[in-house]
Amino acid sequence: MFPARLGSHLLVKMDRFKKNIEKLKSHCPGNKILLMVKADAYGHGLSEIVEFSFDQLEIKEFGVATLGEALTLRKNFPDKTFEVYVFSDLQFQHKELRKQYLENRLIPVLSHKDDLVEVLSDKSFSQMPLCLKFNTGMNRLGIHHEDTGEVIELLKSRGRNHVFHLMTHMANASMPMESNNRNIWQRERFSGIKEAFKKAGIEVEGTSLGNSGTVEQSYSLDETHIRPGLMAYGPTSLAPQHRDKGWWHGEIISELKTKVLNTFEVKKGDPLGYSSVPAPDSGVIAILALGYGDGISTHYSGAHLFHKGVKGKIVGRVCMDMTYVLFPKGTKIERGEPFVVWNEEVDKFMELAKETNTLPYELVIQLTARVPRIYQLV
Ligand SMILES: Cc1ncc(COP(=O)(O)O)c(C=O)c1O
């Protein structure tokens, strides 16, 4: 389908993304999706994923980490009416940058009392929808759950009786929701916060706490929204020993493809590349056109890759532009052949993350701009 001369690239298959989202929607019919697209949509391309999700999958709310990511979306799609939530690097201390939220209709996720005070004190923000994120046990960003009463008083004193979205974030969503203590506390604390707002007569329009691991365990579906990230792109975020707790079986939406630049036979002990690392065994070496300049870190040494069903091992030192893979003696692999590093198979993708000491979140994100993203539309 693609010319053989095409070098390393990440093929992003929108049909698989569509299938994942449809599966998610059918499991969570009562929830609106606030799709997390930070970090370049987890490495798949911010604008491409957002455009497709909005135009074809009826997703109308997106979550990014930084003001810069949010502004990119508004600049690229000035006429699209989706909402953009900015979760962490709000740049709120700078008055000029704060104005960008108003001018670009962005929603700051207020995760610190100081930011809330800024919004409440600035008259130009009086119509700004209030989105508050509480720290119920994640201990990263978030207004402390014990400050709920103070926040409610503050809102009331400024005549604000409506919160657009109230949220928290789960620290241990890869662990069982029903038995992990922190998961239990976090959910209880969030219920307490919602209850306190209700008692105080503050109307709360939207609520959410469900990231992938939570949703994969069918928790948090009683909130108005879910906030999936990883699962939409295919992988599971459940820890291996808890995978049986989840219903999610997604497809990896990307395929990392490269080319074999060279092949040669080696004997055990033959020196390979920089530092003359000895080949651990005799066999056939394939040199792949991917290195740490593409985001394939030196930590990949020792991990396994497959070619036409044959298992090879990354040996030697990954260099800037190339990687050595050792296959068993007699393996038929030729210079110029396309080579698939990963495809839709979740288990192999998860195993590669484990063997490279990374997270499934990182594998795609860490690919550099030198690896072009190519989109296969539905
Ligand atoms: C606040 C918040 N919500 C939702 C998500 C989505 O998490 P996941 O990718 O595990 O679904 C993230 C990602 O880290 C997040 O920071």
Side-chain angles (χ1 to χ4, degrees):
M1 180 183 6
F2 291 101
R5 64 190 151 76
L6 199 67
S8 302
H9 62 280
L10 186 79
L11 181 64
V12 182
K13 301 192 84 160
M14 293 308 206
D15 58 333
R16 293 194 201 145
F17 181 61
K18 183 173 181 216
K19 256 201 243 167
N20 285 349
I21 296 292
E22 281 169 352
K23 207 181 280 183
L24 185 55
K25 280 186 177 174
S26 71
H27 194 83
C28 311
N31 300 102
K32 291 183 188 154
I33 296 178
L34 196 176
L35 183 67
M36 298 307 287
V37 292
K38 57 190 181 166
D40 206 24
Y42 289 45
H44 299 84
L46 174 66
S47 294
E48 289 81 359
I49 292 288
V50 166
E51 183 174 36
F52 184 82
S53 303
F54 182 74
D55 289 350
Q56 311 227 16
L57 305 176
E58 292 178 13
I59 296 180
K60 297 184 165 45
E61 296 172 81
F62 299 95
V64 295
T66 71
L67 176 60
E69 290 173 316
L71 292 176
T72 300
L73 284 179
R74 283 291 182 246
K75 179 167 161 273
N76 289 353
F77 306 111
D79 301 325
K80 293 201 194 289
T81 54
F82 51 70
E83 303 292 357
V84 185
Y85 295 65
V86 184
F87 275 83
S88 46
D89 191 4
L90 302 189
Q91 310 264 27
F92 240 57
Q93 288 85 347
H94 310 277
K95 227 178 165 184
E96 275 312 299
L97 292 176
R98 203 155 75 224
K99 278 201 313 211
Q100 297 291 328
Y101 285 86
L102 296 167
E103 288 168 9
N104 293 284
R105 220 174 35 77
L106 305 174
I107 301 171
V109 177
L110 302 172
S111 304
H112 196 284
K113 275 192 285 181
D114 291 352
D115 288 344
L116 174 59
V117 170
E118 294 284 6
V119 164
L120 296 176
S121 311
D122 188 334
K123 275 208 183 94
S124 53
F125 278 81
S126 60
Q127 300 304 314
M128 158 74 74
L130 286 177
C131 175
L132 305 180
K133 178 153 160 260
F134 277 86
N135 171 19
T136 52
M138 171 79 178
N139 299 337
R140 187 177 64 175
L141 277 185
I143 301 169
H144 199 275
H145 64 98
E146 286 176 358
D147 292 339
T148 305
E150 196 186 320
V151 166
I152 287 174
E153 285 315 308
L154 184 62
L155 293 176
K156 292 189 96 171
S157 71
R158 307 295 171 97
R160 302 290 292 256
N161 287 319
H162 179 266
V163 167
F164 174 67
H165 200 128
L166 195 61
M167 59 174 72
T168 191
H169 190 49
M170 303 298 285
N172 290 352
S174 60
M175 313 288 276
M177 281 293 139
E178 81 280 5
S179 58
N180 178 272
N181 276 339
R182 187 162 297 267
N183 285 337
I184 295 170
W185 300 331
Q186 283 204 256
R187 288 188 287 111
E188 283 175 3
R189 285 171 181 166
F190 191 55
S191 295
I193 293 167
K194 287 189 294 182
E195 196 52 38
F197 273 75
K198 194 171 168 193
K199 264 201 191 132
I202 297 181
E203 187 195 343
V204 174
E205 194 174 324
T207 59
S208 65
L209 64 79
N211 51 356
S212 295
T214 312
V215 173
E216 284 182 60
Q217 297 179 68
S218 300
Y219 274 75
S220 90
L221 307 190
D222 47 347
E223 311 295 341
T224 60
H225 289 66
I226 52 174
R227 299 195 312 267
L230 189 68
M231 67 193 301
Y233 308 104
T236 170
S237 68
L238 297 184
Q241 68 276 28
H242 300 305
R243 299 254 158 90
D244 60 329
K245 302 271 173 212
W247 59 273
W248 180 246
H249 297 284
E251 285 179 32
I252 304 297
I253 70 164
S254 69
E255 290 183 4
L256 179 60
K257 295 186 165 181
T258 185
K259 245 165 73 164
V260 177
L261 293 179
N262 198 11
T263 63
F264 49 88
E265 289 186 5
V266 282
K267 290 203 190 69
K268 184 172 177 172
D270 281 354
L272 295 172
Y274 288 124
S275 304
S276 304
V277 180
D281 257 313
S282 299
V284 180
I285 290 283
I287 306 286
L288 304 186
L290 281 172
Y292 58 79
D294 304 284
I296 302 299
S297 127
T298 50
H299 296 295
Y300 275 58
S301 282
H304 295 91
L305 298 177
F306 292 80
H307 186 64
K308 296 180 182 159
V310 183
K311 193 174 185 178
K313 182 177 181 179
I314 299 180
V315 295
R317 199 167 86 186
V318 173
C319 52
M320 194 179 288
D321 315 305
M322 285 167 265
T323 296
Y324 298 79
V325 188
L326 176 63
F327 287 96
K329 264 185 186 172
T331 303
K332 296 259 171 298
I333 182 162
E334 285 175 22
R335 181 173 126 83
E337 265 189 60
F339 189 103
V340 177
V341 177
W342 68 66
N343 59 16
E344 77 279 6
E345 293 175 70
V346 177
D347 290 347
K348 288 208 179 104
F349 187 87
M350 301 301 283
E351 188 59 23
L352 185 61
K354 190 170 149 210
E355 288 191 335
T356 53
N357 257 325
T358 54
L359 297 170
Y361 292 82
E362 287 179 76
L363 284 184
V364 180
I365 288 181
Q366 69 194 3
L367 296 176
T368 65
R370 191 165 80 176
V371 181
R373 274 61 169 172
I374 293 175
Y375 296 88
Q376 190 173 337
L377 294 170
V378 177

